[in-house]
Amino acid sequence: MDTAAIILTGGRSSRFGGRHTPGIEIAGSPVIASLLTTVEAVGAGEIVVCGSSAGIDAGTLTRLLLVDEEPAFGGPLHGISCALAALPTGERIILVLAGDMPAITASLLARLRESSAAGSPAAAVDPSGRVQFLCAAWPEAVLRDAVAGLGSAVGLPVKALYRDREITLIPATEAELIDIDTPADLDRAEQITDAEQDSGAD
């Protein structure tokens, strides 16, 4: 099935002292670069990044579209709206992802995509029951309809996109759903990366 991805890299990173979290390096690679590699590995054709381009080497991907968030800092739902406006209409599954998630796996993205192909959105949930609404997959027509139905998306919480809609929850590990909002999150992500590297060396 055709797949596209929307990756959100806007926001003020206020809990990280204003440091742009998708551009933070872990094991020598920016978080956003690692995420783009994973998205490409799962077979995404068009990839739309909305927000800052820091940490992205646009020359490494052939179908990457960088989109400004206008107005800036309008929130993740607004970012989704801006990205959709720049993406030509098609019949795809669209992955919707936060740009500060360094440990998402291609396997998780594939399971989200497969579930959403049945006609309703799918979102990842960790073992504690926390749903990550920005690690999700949507049938394109359903996503466009949901966004259009909200009117202006500026300032709306991303959960508004899911109201009154059937959602399939796809189990994920705690590590896969780490998003770097704080220095403590970065420490956890680095520990996981170190553990994976040590395991691979065994």
Side-chain angles (χ1 to χ4, degrees), residues 1-174:
M1 68 193 75
D2 290 342
T3 308
I6 290 172
I7 302 177
L8 305 176
T9 60
R12 301 179 188 275
S13 299
S14 57
R15 286 184 285 171
F16 214 112
R19 187 178 176 189
H20 179 63
T21 53
I24 289 175
E25 291 192 2
I26 297 178
S29 178
V31 169
I32 184 61
S34 299
L35 179 57
L36 285 168
T37 298
T38 302
V39 168
E40 190 175 43
V42 83
E46 294 87 352
I47 302 173
V48 184
V49 174
C50 184
S52 172
S53 61
I56 298 174
D57 180 359
T60 62
L61 297 171
T62 58
R63 304 188 73 178
L64 177 65
L65 177 62
L66 302 176
V67 176
D68 290 331
E69 185 183 353
E70 294 291 347
F73 308 124
L77 191 47
H78 174 59
I80 293 170
S81 178
C82 292
L84 275 179
L87 183 66
T89 301
E91 297 181 0
R92 296 163 285 213
I93 300 299
I94 298 183
L95 302 170
V96 178
L97 305 168
D100 60 353
M101 303 181 71
I104 290 176
T105 61
S107 172
L108 174 58
L109 295 183
R111 284 181 283 130
L112 288 165
R113 178 178 60 188
E114 181 179 358
S115 176
S116 68
S120 61
V125 58
D126 74 12
S128 72
R130 181 180 72 96
V131 179
Q132 174 50 273
F133 292 107
L134 290 177
C135 182
W138 286 73
E140 181 171 345
V142 177
L143 180 60
R144 289 188 183 277
D145 180 69
V147 170
L150 294 172
S152 174
V154 175
L156 291 180
V158 72
K159 288 182 181 180
L161 196 61
Y162 292 82
R163 287 176 186 154
D164 302 321
R165 291 189 179 274
E166 180 181 347
I167 309 167
T168 302
L169 298 180
I170 302 300
T173 66
E174 182 181 3

